[in-house]
Amino acid sequence: ASTNKTSSSAFTLQAMVFSQQETLKNFMRKHANLAPVLQYKTIRNEAGEKYVVTYGAFSSLSEANAAKKKLPADFSQAYARKK
């Protein structure tokens, strides 16, 4: 297997990080129309749990940044990053 393999969805937009599950649930409910591309994952460490909300899967940074411009104001602080 080649280690140079390019993924067709190498980037995502990180929209938010929440520390309270209830705040996460409210955000996900508010933006339910963006499902299933709006997702979250739980990260656990010694400080507790954090919920990282991501949006989409993009082949390039420019594609991710273009998508961000079309999202609601709640996503103004979102940033593109590798998945």
Side-chain angles (χ1 to χ4, degrees):
S2 169
T3 54
N4 282 343
K5 189 174 116 187
T6 351
S7 171
S8 61
S9 59
F11 297 91
T12 189
L13 287 172
Q14 181 168 315
M16 296 275 180
V17 177
F18 294 106
S19 57
Q20 295 181 343
Q21 193 173 32
E22 193 58 37
T23 310
L24 165 73
K25 287 179 181 176
N26 290 337
F27 183 85
M28 297 300 281
R29 260 194 302 272
K30 180 178 180 182
H31 298 290
N33 62 313
L34 298 175
V37 290
L38 185 66
Q39 303 178 341
Y40 75 91
K41 65 180 177 180
T42 305
I43 302 196
R44 292 177 181 87
N45 61 27
E46 63 280 348
E49 291 184 341
K50 299 265 186 231
Y51 306 96
V52 179
V53 179
T54 59
Y55 175 82
F58 307 97
S59 59
S60 69
L61 280 174
S62 58
E63 185 182 330
N65 285 322
K68 176 186 167 185
K69 294 175 183 172
K70 299 175 185 170
L71 291 170
D74 284 350
F75 293 83
S76 64
Q77 298 299 311
Y79 65 92
R81 66 170 180 85
K82 287 195 178 262
K83 285 184 91 175

